[in-house]
Amino acid sequence: MPQTLLGTARCIFRRDLTLAARKPADVATPLAFFVIVTSLFPLGVGPEPNVLSKLAPGVLWVAALLASMLSMGRLFAADYADGTLEQLTLSPHALTPIVFAKVAAHWVTSGLLLVVLSPLLAMQLSLPGQATWTLIATLLLGTPVLSLLGSVGAALTLGVRGGGVLLSLLVLPLYTPILIFGAGAVTASASGLDTTAYFSLLGAFLLLALAFTPWATAAALRISLD
Amino acid sequence: MYKYASPKNFYVLAGQLIPWLGIITLVLFATGLYLGLYVAPPDYQQGDSYRIMFIHVPAAWMSMYVYVMMAGAGLVGLVWNIKLADMLATASAPIGASLTLMALVTGSLWGKPTWGTYWVWDARLTSELLLFFLYLGFIALQAAIDEPRRSARAGAVLALVGVVDIPIIHFSVIWWNTLHQPASIGALNRIISPTIYPTMLHPLLINSLAFFLFYYMVVLMRMRGEILARERHTGWVMQIVRASAEAAR
């Protein structure tokens, strides 16, 4: 069935969402990880609300970062294993928009859910209300960047032994600017400072990642499938 | 020029260059260290401890230069499919990682007398640490892929993503540092600042050149080894192996 480029991308987006909906456990695991890791911190550093609220921006952002990274494994793994990915690279359309659709679907079933969960965990760590809104907004801007950067790592480590640990080594250093400005914005907001600059920078990172990473991921996929 | 793109000719050329690079590196390094350790006066505030910068600063500069070389070579290998460029990228990574580690260790040793502690989250040290992680990622990725072609190309993509991200990481860390840290890096800024005395500047520049040539010497040595390993089934490599076996006997 001949398809337009946009039609193909939309079709893949819907397909990946359907697949995720059929396997809710796969979607839920990184979320559970997010909740568990943040819940460990009060046990480690003690339950004093003022200590927790001070640590909360960093803890929540680091946990979201790790959860997002852990979820990257399933972005291409199943399609790689059953040969779908190979078929996709044979499609008449460029691979870049297809990759983009896959990453978008993946973000909806990972990053977006982390954003939805975050206020609950922020409450647990007694983050002030104003800062919680900033947390939600920064995660909304930041997690797509994490997914996009992570997709490059996921494509590079496809079918490579020790892929999961390797992926963390590849992408975590690349994630640091997002962590710095994401957590920085929440901290600034908690102490009543202006956060415009943080949002501008996070937005800039998002645009940069949108422009370049699908292209790099497509190149990496072709290398991995060679 | 194209003649040297063949591994065999490159192997011979590199073999001729290495001794010269070695001699020049040795002379420069000896001069630089003599000027740095004996001729240059002690710093009015830091005493003699600042002298570690004659190692630290060249190592830090080279650690960044090598990453850019690695990404550049990776790009050439990716686009024009040149095996030697792939080998240059692969051979550069461990050297770059070692230089980064050297910059980190010397930086923290300098930090002890200056800041009173081995580690502070200073912007330069932190971004150097992240650079070290990037090198480790590159090495680990290439080590995990057995097929040389795929390994080289995957590494190239990673290095290119890294080279775009490094300036972003660097400036993010500087911003983060100025937000969180009281002004403890004044001392370091003064060392790097252009008001530096010529007696201190000259050994620094000479040592930087020595480190620069040292990198090329080691990278050529590593590339020669890589060429032998990859071309081990060809006639000319077997000849070399046989000849060296004869010599050993």
Side-chain angles (χ1 to χ4, degrees), chain A residues 1-23:
Chain A
M1 174 173 74
Q3 283 261 12
T4 60
L5 179 59
L6 209 62
T8 311
R10 203 180 301 139
C11 180
I12 286 168
F13 181 74
R14 215 174 301 139
R15 166 186 173 271
D16 278 16
L17 284 188
T18 315
L19 284 177
R22 299 240 169 99
K23 277 189 191 159

Side-chain angles (χ1 to χ4, degrees), chain A residues 130-197:
Chain A
Q130 162 83 39
T132 304
W133 285 109
T134 314
L135 176 74
I136 294 170
T138 52
L139 282 174
L140 261 181
L141 271 177
T143 47
V145 188
L146 301 182
S147 292
L148 286 163
L149 278 173
S151 73
V152 184
L156 286 173
T157 53
L158 261 189
V160 169
R161 70 186 117 84
V165 188
L166 189 58
L167 178 67
S168 63
L169 197 54
L170 301 191
V171 299
L172 286 181
L174 301 175
Y175 279 177
T176 43
I178 320 298
L179 172 67
I180 289 173
F181 293 108
V186 183
T187 310
S189 159
S191 34
L193 299 171
D194 181 40
T195 53
T196 324

Side-chain angles (χ1 to χ4, degrees), chain A residues 80 149 152 156-158 160-161 166 169-170 173-174 176-177 180-181 197-198 201 205 208 216 219-220 223-224 226, chain B residues 78 130 133-134 136-138 140-141 143-146 150 153-154 157-158 161-162 165 168-169 172-173 175-176 179:
Chain A
Y80 177 70
L149 278 173
V152 184
L156 286 173
T157 53
L158 261 189
V160 169
R161 70 186 117 84
L166 189 58
L169 197 54
L170 301 191
L174 301 175
T176 43
I180 289 173
F181 293 108
Y198 294 94
L201 279 161
F205 292 152
L208 207 66
I223 291 166
S224 292
D226 222 10
Chain B
L78 209 56
L130 291 169
F133 294 152
L134 285 173
L136 289 188
F138 181 91
L141 178 66
I145 305 173
D146 293 324
R150 187 187 158 187
R153 294 173 48 168
V157 170
L158 182 67
V161 174
D165 217 29
I168 299 178
I169 293 176
S172 308
V173 169
W175 174 325
W176 163 81
L179 276 181

Side-chain angles (χ1 to χ4, degrees), chain A residues 14-175:
Chain A
R14 215 174 301 139
R15 166 186 173 271
D16 278 16
L17 284 188
T18 315
L19 284 177
R22 299 240 169 99
K23 277 189 191 159
D26 285 5
V27 176
T29 317
L31 297 178
F33 174 85
F34 184 42
V35 176
I36 291 172
V37 166
T38 45
S39 307
L40 285 179
F41 274 88
L43 298 175
V45 300
E48 292 84 14
N50 51 339
V51 175
L52 287 180
S53 69
K54 201 155 188 264
L55 289 178
V59 168
L60 289 165
W61 253 98
V62 170
L65 198 106
L66 293 176
S68 161
M69 185 208 73
L70 283 176
S71 74
M72 290 323 294
R74 88 182 143 81
L75 175 57
F76 298 119
D79 285 351
Y80 177 70
D82 65 13
T84 313
L85 209 54
E86 209 137 331
Q87 296 301 316
L88 287 177
T89 59
L90 294 175
S91 105
H93 299 301
L95 192 54
T96 313
I98 294 175
V99 163
F100 185 76
K102 282 192 76 69
V103 176
H106 183 267
W107 176 74
V108 170
T109 56
S110 62
L112 187 59
L113 298 177
L114 292 178
V115 178
V116 173
L117 254 177
S118 61
L120 203 67
L121 299 172
M123 213 168 63
Q124 232 186 0
L125 297 180
S126 34
L127 193 71
Q130 162 83 39
T132 304
W133 285 109
T134 314
L135 176 74
I136 294 170
T138 52
L139 282 174
L140 261 181
L141 271 177
T143 47
V145 188
L146 301 182
S147 292
L148 286 163
L149 278 173
S151 73
V152 184
L156 286 173
T157 53
L158 261 189
V160 169
R161 70 186 117 84
V165 188
L166 189 58
L167 178 67
S168 63
L169 197 54
L170 301 191
V171 299
L172 286 181
L174 301 175
Y175 279 177

Side-chain angles (χ1 to χ4, degrees), chain B residues 195-206:
Chain B
T195 57
I196 185 167
Y197 287 112
T199 44
M200 294 181 183
L201 184 64
H202 293 157
L204 183 61
L205 293 180
I206 291 170

